[in-house]
Amino acid sequence: NAGVTQTPKFRVLKTGQSMTLLCAQDMNHEYMYWYRQDPGMGLRLIHYSVGEGTTAKGEVPDGYNVSRLKKQNFLLGLESAAPSQTSVYFCASSGWAGELFFGEGSRLTVL
Amino acid sequence: SQQGEEDPQALSIQEGENATMNCSYKTSINNLQWYRQNSGRGLVHLILIRSNEREKHSGRLRVTLDTSKKSSSLLITASRAADTASYFCATYSSGNTPLVFGKGTRLSVIA
């Protein structure tokens, strides 16, 4: 049972490049989330989804886009990467008001 | 903005001692959850306490919730070196809002 899988695990980008992070869950969860984690800042919510075809903005959505075309997948896109987006990105999934299951993280460096 | 604030930010204890971490939050909640994060890994759910519960136990973990003071505490008894990690509280507000995390407490257990 894989749980929540994130790809890629590591990526280095140059400023202005674009990329997509993929999150896949096999628990049939309705809710999926993208967080970023920076030193001293804890986890901050970027975007989330309450079901297939839906997305909503979190605390820090600027510079990111998301899509939830299939229930099991939640994609996070950076259209034009900036150094401020250097971070560790975590995807998670859950049922309603339940515990979150996290992936192992994707470490992104923007030069 | 972050809903939960953990205290202390960092805690260092000897193996065998108890570790207590506190969490304060701002608005009414549906439930409060505690998570653990080992260095470089994803977060792992530890325990969930609902707003109508006052105390919950799981193995060496004891969580209390005081909704009148908008605070919770996590007690780890007889700590082990393997308990070294960051611990986060997270809250679900009433309604269909996503989980919001605090900045965490870094616990170091010295053997």
Side-chain angles (χ1 to χ4, degrees), chain B residues 19-87:
Chain B
T20 299
M21 288 159 270
N22 302 297
C23 171
S24 59
Y25 57 92
K26 299 173 184 174
T27 64
S28 62
I29 60 170
N30 176 290
N31 67 59
L32 184 144
Q33 303 178 28
W34 286 91
Y35 288 79
R36 164 193 170 126
Q37 184 181 34
N38 287 80
S39 181
R41 306 296 299 274
L43 279 74
V44 175
H45 181 265
L46 294 176
I47 198 164
L48 181 155
I49 186 166
R50 303 186 193 287
S51 60
N52 61 353
E53 297 176 312
R54 292 296 169 259
E55 187 171 313
K56 207 161 183 180
H57 296 256
S58 177
R60 293 185 295 113
L61 305 181
R62 172 177 170 256
V63 169
T64 61
L65 178 64
D66 187 335
T67 53
S68 67
K69 294 182 180 178
K70 292 186 170 58
S71 67
S72 174
S73 66
L74 171 67
L75 169 66
I76 303 174
T77 60
S79 61
R80 306 165 181 168
D83 294 328
T84 294
S86 291
Y87 292 81

Coordinates of all heavy atoms in Angstrom, one line a residue, chain B residues 19-87:
Chain B
A19 N 8.4 14.6 28.2 CA 8.4 15.8 27.4 C 7.0 16.3 27.2 O 6.1 15.6 26.9 CB 9.0 15.5 26.0
T20 N 6.8 17.6 27.5 CA 5.5 18.3 27.4 C 5.6 19.4 26.4 O 6.5 20.3 26.5 CB 5.0 18.8 28.7 OG1 4.9 17.7 29.6 CG2 3.7 19.5 28.5
M21 N 4.7 19.4 25.4 CA 4.6 20.5 24.4 C 3.2 21.0 24.4 O 2.3 20.3 24.6 CB 4.9 19.9 23.0 CG 6.4 19.6 22.8 SD 6.7 18.4 21.5 CE 6.5 16.8 22.4
N22 N 3.1 22.3 24.2 CA 1.9 23.0 24.3 C 1.5 23.6 23.0 O 2.4 24.0 22.2 CB 1.9 24.1 25.4 CG 2.3 23.5 26.7 OD1 1.5 22.7 27.3 ND2 3.4 23.9 27.3
C23 N 0.2 23.8 22.8 CA -0.3 24.3 21.5 C -1.4 25.3 21.9 O -2.3 24.9 22.6 CB -0.8 23.2 20.6 SG -1.7 23.8 19.1
S24 N -1.4 26.5 21.4 CA -2.5 27.4 21.6 C -3.1 27.8 20.2 O -2.3 27.8 19.2 CB -2.1 28.7 22.3 OG -1.0 29.3 21.5
Y25 N -4.4 28.0 20.1 CA -5.0 28.3 18.9 C -6.0 29.4 19.1 O -6.3 29.8 20.2 CB -5.7 27.0 18.3 CG -6.7 26.4 19.2 CD1 -8.1 26.8 19.1 CD2 -6.3 25.4 20.1 CE1 -9.0 26.2 19.9 CE2 -7.3 24.8 20.9 CZ -8.6 25.2 20.8 OH -9.5 24.6 21.6
K26 N -6.5 29.9 18.0 CA -7.2 31.2 18.0 C -8.8 31.1 17.9 O -9.5 31.8 18.5 CB -6.7 32.2 16.9 CG -5.2 32.5 17.1 CD -4.7 33.3 15.9 CE -3.2 33.5 16.0 NZ -2.7 34.2 14.8
T27 N -9.2 30.2 17.0 CA -10.7 30.1 16.8 C -11.2 28.8 17.2 O -10.5 27.9 17.6 CB -11.0 30.4 15.3 OG1 -10.4 29.3 14.5 CG2 -10.4 31.7 14.8
S28 N -12.5 28.7 17.2 CA -13.2 27.4 17.6 C -12.8 26.3 16.6 O -12.5 26.6 15.5 CB -14.7 27.6 17.6 OG -15.2 27.9 16.3
I29 N -12.8 25.1 17.1 CA -12.3 24.0 16.4 C -13.2 22.8 16.3 O -14.0 22.7 17.3 CB -10.9 23.5 16.9 CG1 -11.0 23.0 18.3 CG2 -9.8 24.6 16.7 CD1 -9.7 22.3 18.8
N30 N -13.1 22.0 15.3 CA -13.8 20.7 15.3 C -12.9 19.6 15.9 O -13.4 18.8 16.7 CB -14.1 20.4 13.8 CG -14.7 19.0 13.6 OD1 -14.0 18.0 13.8 ND2 -15.9 19.0 13.2
N31 N -11.7 19.7 15.6 CA -10.7 18.8 16.3 C -9.3 19.3 16.2 O -9.0 20.3 15.5 CB -10.8 17.3 15.7 CG -10.2 17.3 14.2 OD1 -9.1 17.6 14.0 ND2 -11.1 16.8 13.3
L32 N -8.4 18.8 17.0 CA -7.0 19.2 17.0 C -6.2 17.9 16.9 O -6.5 16.9 17.5 CB -6.7 19.9 18.3 CG -5.3 20.5 18.5 CD1 -5.3 21.8 19.3 CD2 -4.3 19.5 19.1
Q33 N -5.2 18.0 16.1 CA -4.3 16.8 15.8 C -2.9 17.1 16.1 O -2.4 18.3 16.0 CB -4.5 16.4 14.3 CG -5.9 16.1 13.9 CD -6.1 15.8 12.5 OE1 -5.2 15.3 11.8 NE2 -7.3 16.1 11.9
W34 N -2.1 16.1 16.4 CA -0.7 16.2 16.6 C 0.0 15.3 15.6 O -0.4 14.2 15.3 CB -0.3 15.8 18.0 CG -0.6 16.8 19.1 CD1 -1.8 16.9 19.8 CD2 0.2 17.9 19.5 NE1 -1.7 18.0 20.6 CE2 -0.5 18.6 20.5 CE3 1.5 18.4 19.2 CZ2 0.0 19.8 21.1 CZ3 2.0 19.5 19.8 CH2 1.3 20.2 20.8
Y35 N 1.1 15.9 15.1 CA 1.9 15.2 14.1 C 3.3 15.2 14.5 O 3.8 16.1 15.2 CB 1.7 15.8 12.7 CG 0.4 15.6 12.0 CD1 -0.7 16.4 12.4 CD2 0.2 14.7 11.0 CE1 -1.9 16.2 11.8 CE2 -1.0 14.5 10.4 CZ -2.1 15.2 10.8 OH -3.3 15.0 10.2
R36 N 4.1 14.2 14.0 CA 5.5 14.1 14.2 C 6.2 14.1 12.8 O 5.7 13.6 11.9 CB 5.8 12.8 14.9 CG 7.2 12.4 15.0 CD 7.2 10.9 15.4 NE 8.6 10.4 15.2 CZ 9.3 9.8 16.2 NH1 8.8 9.7 17.4 NH2 10.5 9.4 15.9
Q37 N 7.4 14.8 12.8 CA 8.2 14.8 11.6 C 9.6 14.5 11.9 O 10.3 15.3 12.6 CB 8.1 16.2 10.9 CG 8.8 16.2 9.6 CD 8.7 17.5 8.9 OE1 8.7 18.6 9.5 NE2 8.7 17.5 7.6
N38 N 10.1 13.4 11.5 CA 11.5 13.1 11.6 C 12.3 13.9 10.5 O 11.7 14.3 9.5 CB 11.8 11.7 11.4 CG 11.4 10.9 12.6 OD1 10.2 10.6 12.7 ND2 12.3 10.5 13.5
S39 N 13.5 14.3 10.8 CA 14.3 15.1 9.9 C 14.3 14.6 8.5 O 14.6 13.4 8.2 CB 15.7 15.2 10.4 OG 16.5 16.0 9.6
G40 N 13.9 15.4 7.5 CA 13.9 15.1 6.1 C 12.8 14.2 5.7 O 12.8 13.7 4.5
R41 N 11.8 14.0 6.5 CA 10.7 13.1 6.2 C 9.4 13.8 6.2 O 9.3 14.9 6.6 CB 10.6 11.9 7.2 CG 11.9 11.1 7.4 CD 12.3 10.4 6.1 NE 11.4 9.4 5.6 CZ 11.3 8.2 6.0 NH1 12.2 7.7 6.9 NH2 10.4 7.3 5.5
G42 N 8.3 13.1 5.7 CA 7.0 13.6 5.8 C 6.4 13.6 7.2 O 7.0 12.9 8.1
L43 N 5.3 14.3 7.4 CA 4.7 14.3 8.7 C 3.9 13.0 8.9 O 3.3 12.5 7.9 CB 3.7 15.5 8.9 CG 4.4 16.8 9.2 CD1 5.2 17.4 8.1 CD2 3.4 17.8 9.8
V44 N 3.8 12.5 10.1 CA 3.1 11.3 10.5 C 2.1 11.7 11.6 O 2.5 12.3 12.6 CB 4.0 10.2 11.0 CG1 3.2 9.0 11.4 CG2 5.0 9.8 9.9
H45 N 0.8 11.3 11.4 CA -0.2 11.6 12.3 C 0.0 10.8 13.6 O 0.3 9.6 13.6 CB -1.6 11.2 11.7 CG -2.7 11.4 12.6 ND1 -3.3 10.5 13.4 CD2 -3.4 12.6 12.8 CE1 -4.3 11.0 14.1 NE2 -4.4 12.3 13.7
L46 N -0.1 11.4 14.8 CA 0.0 10.8 16.1 C -1.3 10.6 16.7 O -1.6 9.4 17.2 CB 0.9 11.6 17.0 CG 2.3 11.8 16.6 CD1 3.0 12.8 17.6 CD2 3.1 10.5 16.6
I47 N -2.1 11.6 16.8 CA -3.4 11.5 17.6 C -4.3 12.6 17.3 O -3.9 13.7 16.9 CB -3.0 11.5 19.1 CG1 -4.1 11.0 20.0 CG2 -2.5 12.9 19.6 CD1 -3.7 10.6 21.4
L48 N -5.6 12.4 17.3 CA -6.6 13.3 17.0 C -7.5 13.4 18.3 O -7.9 12.4 18.8 CB -7.4 12.9 15.8 CG -8.6 13.8 15.3 CD1 -8.8 13.5 13.8 CD2 -9.9 13.5 16.1
I49 N -7.8 14.6 18.7 CA -8.7 14.8 19.8 C -9.9 15.7 19.4 O -9.6 16.8 18.8 CB -8.0 15.4 21.1 CG1 -9.0 15.4 22.3 CG2 -7.3 16.7 20.8 CD1 -8.2 15.6 23.6
R50 N -11.1 15.4 19.6 CA -12.2 16.1 19.1 C -12.6 17.2 20.1 O -12.2 17.2 21.3 CB -13.4 15.2 18.9 CG -13.2 14.1 17.9 CD -14.4 13.3 17.6 NE -14.0 12.1 16.9 CZ -13.6 12.0 15.6 NH1 -13.5 13.1 14.9 NH2 -13.3 10.9 15.1
S51 N -13.3 18.2 19.7 CA -13.6 19.4 20.6 C -14.4 19.0 21.8 O -14.4 19.7 22.8 CB -14.3 20.4 19.8 OG -15.5 19.9 19.3
N52 N -15.1 17.9 21.8 CA -15.9 17.5 23.0 C -15.1 16.5 23.9 O -15.7 15.9 24.8 CB -17.2 16.9 22.5 CG -17.1 15.6 21.7 OD1 -15.9 15.3 21.3 ND2 -18.1 15.0 21.4
E53 N -13.9 16.3 23.5 CA -13.0 15.4 24.4 C -12.0 16.2 25.2 O -11.6 17.3 24.7 CB -12.3 14.4 23.5 CG -13.2 13.4 22.7 CD -12.4 12.5 21.8 OE1 -11.6 13.0 21.0 OE2 -12.7 11.3 21.8
R54 N -11.6 15.8 26.3 CA -10.7 16.5 27.2 C -9.3 15.9 27.3 O -8.3 16.5 27.5 CB -11.3 16.7 28.6 CG -12.5 17.6 28.6 CD -12.1 19.0 28.2 NE -13.3 19.8 28.0 CZ -13.8 20.1 26.8 NH1 -13.2 19.6 25.7 NH2 -14.9 20.8 26.6
E55 N -9.3 14.6 27.1 CA -8.0 13.8 27.2 C -8.1 12.6 26.3 O -9.1 12.0 26.2 CB -7.8 13.5 28.7 CG -6.4 12.9 29.0 CD -6.2 12.8 30.5 OE1 -6.5 13.7 31.2 OE2 -5.7 11.7 30.9
K56 N -6.9 12.3 25.8 CA -6.8 11.1 25.0 C -5.4 10.5 25.1 O -4.4 11.2 25.3 CB -7.1 11.4 23.5 CG -7.6 10.2 22.7 CD -8.3 10.8 21.5 CE -8.9 9.6 20.7 NZ -9.6 10.1 19.5
H57 N -5.4 9.1 25.1 CA -4.1 8.4 25.3 C -3.8 7.5 24.1 O -4.8 7.0 23.5 CB -4.1 7.6 26.5 CG -4.3 8.3 27.8 ND1 -3.2 8.6 28.7 CD2 -5.4 8.9 28.4 CE1 -3.7 9.3 29.7 NE2 -4.9 9.5 29.6
S58 N -2.5 7.4 23.8 CA -2.1 6.4 22.8 C -0.7 6.0 23.1 O 0.2 6.8 22.9 CB -2.2 7.1 21.4 OG -1.7 6.1 20.4
G59 N -0.6 4.8 23.6 CA 0.7 4.3 24.0 C 1.4 5.3 25.1 O 0.8 5.6 26.1
R60 N 2.5 5.8 24.7 CA 3.2 6.8 25.7 C 2.8 8.2 25.4 O 3.4 9.1 26.1 CB 4.7 6.7 25.4 CG 5.3 5.3 25.9 CD 6.9 5.3 25.7 NE 7.3 5.4 24.3 CZ 7.9 6.5 23.8 NH1 8.2 7.5 24.6 NH2 8.3 6.5 22.6
L61 N 1.8 8.4 24.6 CA 1.3 9.8 24.3 C 0.1 10.1 25.1 O -0.8 9.2 25.2 CB 1.0 10.0 22.8 CG 2.1 9.6 21.9 CD1 1.7 9.9 20.4 CD2 3.4 10.5 22.1
R62 N 0.0 11.3 25.7 CA -1.2 11.8 26.3 C -1.5 13.2 25.8 O -0.6 14.0 25.9 CB -1.0 11.8 27.8 CG -2.2 12.4 28.6 CD -2.0 12.3 30.1 NE -2.9 13.1 30.8 CZ -2.7 14.3 31.4 NH1 -1.4 14.8 31.3 NH2 -3.6 15.0 32.1
V63 N -2.7 13.4 25.3 CA -3.0 14.7 24.8 C -4.2 15.2 25.6 O -5.1 14.5 25.9 CB -3.4 14.6 23.3 CG1 -4.1 15.9 22.8 CG2 -2.2 14.3 22.4
T64 N -4.1 16.5 26.0 CA -5.3 17.1 26.6 C -5.7 18.3 25.8 O -5.0 18.9 25.0 CB -4.9 17.6 28.0 OG1 -3.8 18.6 27.9 CG2 -4.4 16.5 28.9
L65 N -7.0 18.6 26.0 CA -7.6 19.7 25.2 C -8.4 20.6 26.2 O -9.3 20.0 26.9 CB -8.4 19.2 24.1 CG -9.1 20.3 23.2 CD1 -8.1 21.2 22.5 CD2 -10.1 19.6 22.2
D66 N -8.2 21.9 26.2 CA -9.0 22.8 27.0 C -9.5 23.8 26.0 O -8.9 24.8 25.7 CB -8.1 23.5 28.1 CG -8.9 24.3 29.0 OD1 -10.0 24.8 28.6 OD2 -8.4 24.5 30.2
T67 N -10.8 23.6 25.6 CA -11.4 24.5 24.6 C -11.7 25.9 25.2 O -11.7 26.9 24.5 CB -12.7 23.9 24.1 OG1 -13.5 23.6 25.1 CG2 -12.4 22.7 23.2
S68 N -11.8 26.0 26.6 CA -12.1 27.3 27.2 C -10.8 28.2 27.1 O -10.9 29.4 27.0 CB -12.5 27.1 28.6 OG -11.5 26.6 29.4
K69 N -9.7 27.6 27.1 CA -8.4 28.3 27.1 C -7.8 28.2 25.6 O -6.8 28.8 25.4 CB -7.4 27.7 28.0 CG -7.8 27.9 29.5 CD -6.7 27.4 30.4 CE -7.1 27.6 31.9 NZ -6.1 27.0 32.8
K70 N -8.5 27.5 24.7 CA -8.0 27.3 23.4 C -6.6 26.8 23.4 O -5.6 27.4 22.8 CB -8.1 28.6 22.6 CG -9.6 29.0 22.3 CD -9.6 30.2 21.3 CE -11.0 30.4 20.8 NZ -12.0 30.7 21.9
S71 N -6.4 25.7 24.1 CA -5.0 25.2 24.2 C -5.0 23.7 24.3 O -6.0 23.0 24.7 CB -4.3 25.8 25.4 OG -4.9 25.3 26.6
S72 N -3.9 23.0 24.0 CA -3.8 21.6 24.0 C -2.3 21.3 24.5 O -1.4 22.2 24.3 CB -4.0 21.0 22.7 OG -3.7 19.6 22.6
S73 N -2.1 20.2 25.1 CA -0.8 19.8 25.4 C -0.5 18.3 25.0 O -1.5 17.5 25.0 CB -0.5 19.9 26.9 OG -1.3 19.0 27.6
L74 N 0.7 18.0 24.6 CA 1.1 16.7 24.2 C 2.2 16.3 25.2 O 3.2 17.0 25.3 CB 1.7 16.7 22.8 CG 2.4 15.3 22.3 CD1 1.4 14.2 22.3 CD2 3.1 15.5 21.0
L75 N 2.0 15.2 25.9 CA 2.9 14.6 26.8 C 3.5 13.3 26.3 O 2.7 12.4 25.9 CB 2.3 14.4 28.2 CG 3.1 13.6 29.2 CD1 4.3 14.4 29.6 CD2 2.2 13.2 30.4
I76 N 4.8 13.2 26.2 CA 5.4 12.0 25.8 C 6.1 11.5 27.1 O 7.0 12.1 27.6 CB 6.5 12.2 24.7 CG1 5.8 12.8 23.5 CG2 7.1 10.8 24.3 CD1 6.8 13.2 22.4
T77 N 5.7 10.3 27.6 CA 6.3 9.8 28.8 C 7.5 8.9 28.5 O 7.6 8.3 27.4 CB 5.3 9.0 29.6 OG1 4.8 7.9 28.8 CG2 4.1 9.9 30.0
A78 N 8.4 8.8 29.4 CA 9.6 7.9 29.3 C 10.2 8.0 27.9 O 10.3 7.1 27.2 CB 9.2 6.5 29.6
S79 N 10.6 9.2 27.6 CA 11.1 9.5 26.2 C 12.3 8.7 25.8 O 13.1 8.3 26.7 CB 11.4 11.0 26.0 OG 12.4 11.4 26.9
R80 N 12.5 8.4 24.6 CA 13.6 7.7 24.0 C 14.3 8.5 23.0 O 13.7 9.4 22.4 CB 13.0 6.4 23.3 CG 12.1 5.6 24.2 CD 11.4 4.5 23.4 NE 10.5 3.7 24.3 CZ 9.5 2.9 23.8 NH1 9.3 2.8 22.5 NH2 8.8 2.3 24.6
A81 N 15.5 8.2 22.6 CA 16.3 8.9 21.6 C 15.5 8.9 20.3 O 15.6 9.9 19.6 CB 17.7 8.3 21.5
A82 N 14.8 7.8 20.0 CA 14.0 7.7 18.8 C 12.9 8.7 18.7 O 12.3 8.9 17.7 CB 13.5 6.3 18.6
D83 N 12.5 9.3 19.9 CA 11.4 10.4 19.9 C 11.9 11.7 19.4 O 11.1 12.6 19.2 CB 10.9 10.5 21.3 CG 10.2 9.3 21.8 OD1 9.6 8.6 21.0 OD2 10.2 9.0 23.0
T84 N 13.2 11.8 19.1 CA 13.8 13.1 18.6 C 13.2 13.4 17.2 O 13.2 12.6 16.3 CB 15.3 13.0 18.4 OG1 15.9 12.8 19.7 CG2 15.9 14.2 17.7
A85 N 12.5 14.5 17.2 CA 11.7 14.9 16.0 C 11.1 16.3 16.2 O 11.3 16.9 17.3 CB 10.6 13.9 15.7
S86 N 10.4 16.8 15.2 CA 9.6 18.0 15.4 C 8.2 17.5 15.5 O 7.7 16.6 14.9 CB 9.8 18.9 14.2 OG 11.0 19.5 14.1
Y87 N 7.5 18.2 16.4 CA 6.1 17.9 16.7 C 5.2 19.1 16.4 O 5.5 20.2 16.8 CB 5.9 17.5 18.1 CG 6.6 16.2 18.4 CD1 8.0 16.1 18.7 CD2 5.9 15.0 18.4 CE1 8.6 14.9 18.9 CE2 6.5 13.8 18.6 CZ 7.9 13.8 18.9 OH 8.5 12.6 19.1

